[in-house]
Amino acid sequence: MLERLLIEHAAPTLASIKTASLFCCFFSSAEELYCQILKWNFILNRKGVSILILCLRKDSALLYVYRSALLKEDLCKNGVKEVLAEYGYCGNDVDKFLLKLQEKLAVAESFPHEIGIFLGYPLRDVVGFIQNGGKNYKSVGLWKVYDNEKEALCFFEKIRKCRDLYMRLWKRGMSITQLTVAV
């Protein structure tokens, strides 16, 4: 179950061209889901990839697949910590930031807008989205683009090609372990 979802939704993260991926996973047993995540973390952690349940509901979970090293780099980019501080994220500890995000998702009716930072979206686009209330964007793809449209569109195409390639290779028998880039 989880293997196909990882290929469909997290291929760019497995390929190490995107910091993180986020997707919803439906399950019939929370215990089974936890076991699968434990299994996949055991396999993927050696290659720098982790899976975290950001939010758990009755029969669904919001899964966050990420590369801790890339997330740390993203969080150190100019202006990121200042923006996150405005939304209650303090310090420098990635795990504490993720815990805060989990806490916010547990009580939120919608996604906290700063989640784009955790997905590796450009800060100017995250801030643009917040300031414009999701309107007045230049383009839309994986996210709403407010700043460098040309660069974002090239990146969106790169992501599409990655997903298509990973799905083809997986269907031909390559394992997620083989497809996950070690960094």
Side-chain angles (χ1 to χ4, degrees):
M1 168 188 85
L2 193 52
E3 185 172 5
R4 181 180 185 91
L5 291 173
L6 286 168
I7 292 295
E8 287 177 349
H9 301 287
T13 303
L14 300 176
S16 198
I17 59 174
K18 189 169 180 298
T19 299
S21 302
L22 186 68
F23 60 92
C24 186
C25 171
F26 293 93
F27 59 86
S28 54
S29 162
E31 184 178 335
E32 182 182 324
L33 177 66
Y34 282 115
C35 287
Q36 283 197 30
I37 289 173
L38 190 65
K39 170 195 148 190
W40 283 110
N41 271 327
F42 179 78
I43 293 167
L44 297 174
N45 285 173
R46 291 178 272 170
K47 296 203 174 194
V49 177
S50 298
I51 304 171
L52 176 67
I53 296 174
L54 281 183
C55 186
L56 191 65
R57 302 279 188 242
K58 181 180 153 190
D59 61 351
S60 67
L62 187 61
L63 301 184
Y64 179 67
V65 181
Y66 67 104
R67 289 190 171 268
S68 187
L70 291 179
L71 181 57
K72 285 177 186 173
E73 286 176 22
D74 288 351
L75 294 174
C76 287
K77 289 180 180 173
N78 240 2
V80 170
K81 287 188 181 161
E82 292 78 7
V83 170
L84 287 175
E86 292 176 32
Y87 294 94
Y89 299 84
C90 301
N92 293 312
D93 188 332
V94 171
D95 292 330
K96 286 183 181 174
F97 281 20
L98 291 173
L99 184 59
K100 178 71 173 176
L101 183 60
Q102 284 177 308
E103 290 169 358
K104 288 181 129 197
L105 282 164
V107 297
E109 302 254 336
S110 62
F111 284 112
H113 297 313
E114 72 273 9
I115 199 166
I117 293 170
F118 293 90
L119 294 168
Y121 299 171
L123 182 62
R124 293 182 75 142
D125 290 335
V126 173
V127 171
F129 181 88
I130 293 167
Q131 290 174 343
N132 288 279
K135 299 176 184 169
N136 305 319
Y137 50 87
K138 294 179 181 180
S139 186
V140 67
L142 292 173
W143 63 83
K144 290 183 177 177
V145 179
Y146 291 87
D147 187 42
N148 192 333
E149 183 178 25
K150 184 178 178 184
E151 187 177 301
L153 293 175
C154 287
F155 187 72
F156 296 162
E157 181 60 17
K158 185 176 181 179
I159 296 297
R160 186 197 60 75
K161 286 179 180 178
C162 175
R163 284 185 174 141
D164 291 350
L165 175 64
Y166 268 50
M167 185 54 79
R168 277 196 314 277
L169 292 172
W170 182 72
K171 285 181 177 178
R172 289 182 191 157
M174 283 188 79
S175 70
I176 286 184
T177 307
Q178 292 170 305
L179 291 168
T180 303
V181 174
V183 179

